[in-house]
Amino acid sequence: MKHFLRMFLQVCLYFYCKCLWRCLKFVVRKLTGQCELQRICYNTKPGAARTMKIEASLKGSKSKRLQTSVSVHPDAIEKTIDDIMELKRINPDINPQLGVSLQACLLQIVGYRNLIAEVEKLRREPYDSENPQHEEMLLKLWKCLKPNSPLKARISKQWCEIGFQGDDPKTDFRGMGLLGLYNLVYFAEWDTEVAQQVLSDSLHPKYSQLSKAEWEKKKFDKAIGYSFAIVGINITDLAYNLLVSGALKTHFYNVAPEAPTLTHFQQTFCYLMHEFHKFWIEEDPLDIMEFNRVREKFHKQILKQLQNPEMALCPHFAASESLINM
């Protein structure tokens, strides 16, 4: 009985607050002469703060047309803006900047949804060793990371040198499908110097961070590294979950002036690899069995950063410079 009463009170409170909020919006519109969308665009600077408020306003609207505006096709955004202006009885000639601001926000909102779909498609596509394109990407990963060490055979223990678990990497991509390979290749190809540095450091973590004198003092410590490729696939999973949960909206809405793309996602992956590498060394785990603990702690740190509406994880993608100067 108590449980039923508690649920009943919660439902009553929900509808009360909803009605009260709508009444409050009505009063504010009458006082200011502006709808909620106008007040957001005119009083909030561009970026995540504005776009997320616009998104919440549209989704929370009692109008189905406004609710569905966040999921239209990119080509229909201009018409959607016209529909919103008409529905809200806003004269575009008197409020020309409003249409521009709404269009920028909708491009980001719709783009984020489309990015999730694109990333999900890659994640669901398994690695196929019979596919020449897949094989070509895998070999490119080796060439970028180990340019001076030719791969002796496609099936080889050499793959362990870049952090795969066995002599055929295809089995390691099961969790994240092609998405894991795409991210690793992007990191190795477009931020080669950093990728090679991180690979080297993952094999000799303490030596890479210490001076020769410091290393002499600590050389008998157990230096705990990690498997570069396996961790890359794991960090891909972390980035994927941040994306799907909506946590990365803060970052993407601040760095992508229009629709966030797969390149933005891959740049974010590079940043996360770089940051996790530093975090791993700072945590100084006793053994590799502490990986899940360190990863979870790192995940919470990133989530906390993304709670700041002005946060941009890698605004100019300067991971290379920061790692070299670390």
Side-chain angles (χ1 to χ4, degrees):
M1 186 65 179
K2 288 182 179 180
H3 179 67
F4 174 78
L5 286 175
R6 189 182 300 113
M7 286 184 63
F8 178 74
L9 288 173
Q10 287 176 342
V11 171
C12 291
L13 182 62
Y14 169 76
F15 283 107
Y16 173 76
C17 291
K18 194 171 184 179
C19 292
L20 183 64
W21 175 245
R22 284 182 175 170
C23 290
L24 182 61
K25 288 204 300 182
F26 177 79
V27 171
V28 173
R29 171 154 192 170
K30 289 298 181 182
L31 291 174
T32 63
Q34 297 177 341
C35 70
E36 185 178 38
L37 296 176
Q38 286 175 295
R39 295 194 300 274
I40 293 172
C41 288
Y42 295 153
N43 299 321
T44 311
K45 67 180 183 179
R50 177 191 287 180
T51 302
M52 292 174 80
K53 285 180 181 179
I54 291 292
E55 186 173 13
S57 178
L58 292 172
K59 285 182 176 179
S61 174
K62 60 183 179 181
S63 167
K64 285 290 183 183
R65 288 170 68 187
L66 292 186
Q67 291 175 16
T68 57
S69 64
V70 298
S71 56
V72 299
H73 190 277
D75 294 341
I77 287 180
E78 285 192 26
K79 185 182 182 305
T80 301
I81 299 298
D82 293 338
D83 291 343
I84 292 174
M85 302 284 270
E86 180 183 352
L87 189 64
K88 290 294 184 178
R89 299 174 186 175
I90 300 170
N91 188 333
D93 296 327
I94 299 176
N95 303 272
Q97 187 57 40
L98 179 63
V100 175
S101 299
L102 284 176
Q103 184 176 26
C105 290
L106 275 182
L107 281 169
Q108 290 183 318
I109 295 166
V110 172
Y112 192 92
R113 290 171 63 93
N114 291 340
L115 176 59
I116 289 177
E118 184 178 5
V119 166
E120 182 64 30
K121 184 179 178 181
L122 286 173
R123 188 186 74 86
R124 288 177 177 271
E125 184 174 355
Y127 183 89
D128 182 4
S129 57
E130 300 297 319
N131 188 316
Q133 291 182 329
H134 295 187
E135 287 288 288
E136 183 181 348
M137 287 186 67
L138 182 60
L139 294 175
K140 180 188 288 187
L141 177 63
W142 176 271
K143 290 175 183 176
C144 289
L145 293 175
K146 306 279 285 185
N148 300 319
S149 301
L151 191 64
K152 296 177 182 178
R154 167 60 180 81
I155 307 297
S156 170
K157 287 293 183 183
Q158 283 181 282
W159 290 111
C160 296
E161 295 176 22
I162 61 173
F164 287 105
Q165 292 180 324
D167 56 11
D168 191 350
K170 71 176 184 180
T171 57
D172 292 327
F173 291 116
R174 288 172 184 167
M176 284 285 108
L178 277 189
L179 184 63
L181 179 58
Y182 265 63
N183 278 351
L184 284 168
V185 171
Y186 185 90
F187 188 27
E189 184 176 18
W190 295 102
D191 214 17
T192 307
E193 189 174 354
V194 171
Q196 291 175 354
Q197 175 90 48
V198 171
L199 172 61
S200 175
D201 290 358
S202 71
L203 299 172
H204 311 288
K206 291 189 176 180
Y207 180 79
S208 64
Q209 300 301 317
L210 301 175
S211 68
K212 187 174 180 180
E214 290 173 320
W215 173 250
E216 286 299 320
K217 294 179 181 178
K218 290 183 172 256
K219 65 182 179 181
F220 296 111
D221 288 354
K222 188 178 181 182
I224 303 302
Y226 56 80
S227 300
F228 175 88
I230 296 301
V231 167
I233 295 170
N234 199 288
I235 296 301
T236 293
D237 176 70
L238 187 149
Y240 166 78
N241 283 298
L242 289 173
L243 177 73
V244 173
S245 69
L248 278 179
K249 286 181 179 180
T250 308
H251 167 65
F252 285 142
Y253 290 169
N254 281 328
V255 300
E258 294 185 348
T261 64
L262 183 61
T263 299
H264 288 108
F265 179 76
Q266 291 174 314
Q267 289 176 350
T268 304
F269 164 78
C270 295
Y271 170 84
L272 291 173
M273 276 292 285
H274 166 214
E275 290 300 305
F276 180 80
H277 172 67
K278 292 194 298 182
F279 192 80
W280 177 266
I281 291 172
E282 289 166 2
E283 284 293 301
D284 195 17
L286 293 174
D287 54 49
I288 197 64
M289 299 303 292
E290 288 201 75
F291 178 82
N292 287 337
R293 176 192 66 79
V294 176
R295 181 192 186 276
E296 184 59 27
K297 189 174 179 180
F298 176 71
H299 186 199
K300 289 179 179 178
Q301 176 178 288
I302 296 296
L303 282 174
K304 186 176 181 180
Q305 292 175 358
L306 290 170
Q307 289 174 358
N308 178 1
E310 297 186 0
M311 185 64 190
L313 294 177
C314 43
H316 305 296
F317 191 46
S320 301
E321 182 181 350
S322 56
L323 182 60
I324 292 169
N325 296 329
M326 189 176 75

